[in-house]
Amino acid sequence: MSTFQPGTDQRYALLEGTNVHDVPIPMIGLGTWPMTGAQCHDAVASALAAGYRHLDTAENYANEDAVGRAVLGSGIPREEVFVTSKFNRQWHGGTESVRTALEAGLERAGLEYFDLFLVHWPNPDQNRYVQSCESLAALVETGLIRSWGVSNFSPAHLQAVLDAGLVPAVNQVYCEPEDAQRPAQEANTAAGVLTAAYTPIGRGSGLLQNPVITGVASRLGRTPAQVVLRWHVQQGRIAIPKSADPRRQRENLDVFSFELSAEDTAAIDALDVSASGGKSPGRADPEVFGH
Ligand SMILES: NC(=O)c1ccc[n+]([C@@H]2O[C@H](COP(=O)([O-])OP(=O)(O)OC[C@H]3O[C@@H](n4cnc5c(N)ncnc54)[C@H](OP(=O)(O)O)[C@@H]3O)[C@@H](O)[C@H]2O)c1
């Protein structure tokens, strides 16, 4: 099977986990929720034209079809684009069940494989998330996925997976400066799991108007979104900002030609309300929410 080949102008990390070895993933990907249909297709097409090589979709977003069409219609070789998808709670369980979810996702997308396939939420009420991870690790051998991981897993959920002898390559979690979820990140890092930040620029929360962010941005001649995305990648996190706008898409990808100083990084780190037990209203609790 073909593998994602990093281009010279892409910055990427290497995924490691159970049955996953050295799979390159671009540090910046395009988030696609809540776009569907033609809007999603056009956004993905413009992102690919702008140089994005990493796309984030999910069964729950009802847009795997639009993402797949844009990839296949782009003229870019499939192996140069990294596609992540995720599956819903009804499929949690043994290999056959997760394989059914995977094959249905691939069918909707019109793709032969996903580069990364995630348990979207742990749904602890079902208590089948550890078994789902076991199934994902086994499915790597089929060639239908290149790597696997989890999303919205708290340190306790992750520990249950680790206790079963399994290491996910990625934990995709809510993370932005005002709610950085350090305990989740620290648990990921300690286990060798790469953190991918969703809602990386705060989804319209007012983060991009925060004076600390705008102050750094105006001093560096960058936009607030670029400063926040640089903060993610400089700390080793994948970030998947969503934009339907070609200009903002280009802006969000252009974060590799400047650096934040230690002082600026510390000032942005200090915005975190989760450090004192707080939580952004936009972050759902995986103990009670999931699909
Ligand atoms: N695993 C999970 O459970 C989970 C949950 C939520 C999200 N996600 C994934 O993460 C992705 C991103 O998260 P998100 O959509 O919640 O939030 P986000 O990417 O932090 O924010 C998206 C919002 O920011 C705007 N925006 C984008 N670039 C901008 C810029 N340079 N300047 C100003 N505004 C800008 C977008 O508007 P325009 O489109 O108009 O530019 C959109 O309204 C999702 O699309 C999805 O793929 C995963």
Side-chain angles (χ1 to χ4, degrees):
M1 185 181 58
S2 302
T3 58
F4 170 76
Q5 299 294 335
T8 50
D9 59 345
Q10 300 290 319
R11 306 301 161 100
Y12 59 93
L14 290 176
L15 298 181
E16 299 289 345
T18 304
N19 295 345
V20 179
H21 308 289
D22 288 342
V23 176
I25 178 171
M27 299 294 293
I28 296 284
L30 182 77
T32 64
W33 176 84
M35 301 183 287
T36 56
Q39 189 205 25
C40 182
H41 171 275
D42 293 353
V44 173
S46 73
L48 289 170
Y52 283 74
R53 292 294 181 268
H54 172 179
L55 307 167
D56 183 78
T57 180
E59 174 185 9
N60 207 57
Y61 304 166
N63 64 13
E64 289 163 306
D65 56 340
V67 170
R69 267 190 296 116
V71 170
L72 296 173
S74 68
I76 299 166
R78 169 68 184 91
E79 61 271 21
E80 291 183 15
V81 184
F82 190 101
V83 181
T84 302
S85 195
K86 324 181 187 80
F87 62 97
N88 282 344
R89 59 181 274 136
Q90 79 184 96
W91 310 109
H92 283 208
T95 311
E96 279 318 304
S97 184
V98 176
R99 186 178 179 132
T100 301
L102 171 59
E103 289 179 345
L106 291 171
E107 173 82 24
R108 288 188 292 270
L111 299 177
E112 289 177 0
Y113 64 93
F114 288 131
D115 296 275
L116 175 63
F117 201 41
L118 305 178
V119 181
H120 203 150
W121 288 86
N123 294 287
D125 61 309
Q126 301 190 124
N127 197 22
R128 295 204 299 269
Y129 62 91
V130 174
Q131 191 189 11
S132 300
C133 289
E134 209 173 325
S135 302
L136 284 169
L139 284 167
V140 175
E141 286 179 9
T142 66
L144 299 174
I145 50 175
R146 302 206 58 239
S147 63
W148 67 277
V150 299
S151 180
N152 297 297
F153 275 38
S154 69
H157 302 135
L158 181 63
Q159 191 58 49
V161 177
L162 299 173
D163 288 347
L166 297 159
V167 182
V170 168
N171 188 5
Q172 185 187 113
V173 295
Y174 183 107
C175 178
E176 42 90 359
E178 291 179 341
D179 187 354
Q181 291 216 77
R182 293 278 163 211
Q185 285 191 58
E186 283 161 14
N188 293 342
T189 304
V193 177
L194 189 66
T195 300
Y198 79 72
T199 314
I201 53 173
R203 197 195 300 153
S205 65
L207 169 70
L208 301 183
Q209 287 80 45
N210 184 301
V212 170
I213 305 292
T214 57
V216 174
S218 61
R219 192 154 30 75
L220 296 181
R222 293 284 168 170
T223 69
Q226 287 176 321
V227 166
V228 173
L229 292 167
R230 178 70 207 181
W231 172 79
H232 284 292
V233 299
Q234 204 167 303
Q235 295 187 345
R237 285 183 297 280
I238 302 293
I240 50 168
K242 174 263 173 185
S243 181
D245 177 75
R247 186 186 56 77
R248 286 192 287 276
Q249 289 177 349
R250 287 193 297 276
E251 174 185 327
N252 295 346
L253 192 58
D254 180 16
V255 296
F256 297 108
S257 58
F258 71 103
E259 277 189 29
L260 300 176
S261 67
E263 292 75 18
D264 288 343
T265 302
I268 298 170
D269 283 344
L271 298 176
D272 184 13
V273 297
S274 69
S276 51
K279 181 175 106 43
S280 153
R283 168 157 68 90
D285 178 354
E287 283 299 328
V288 293
F289 180 83
H291 46 66

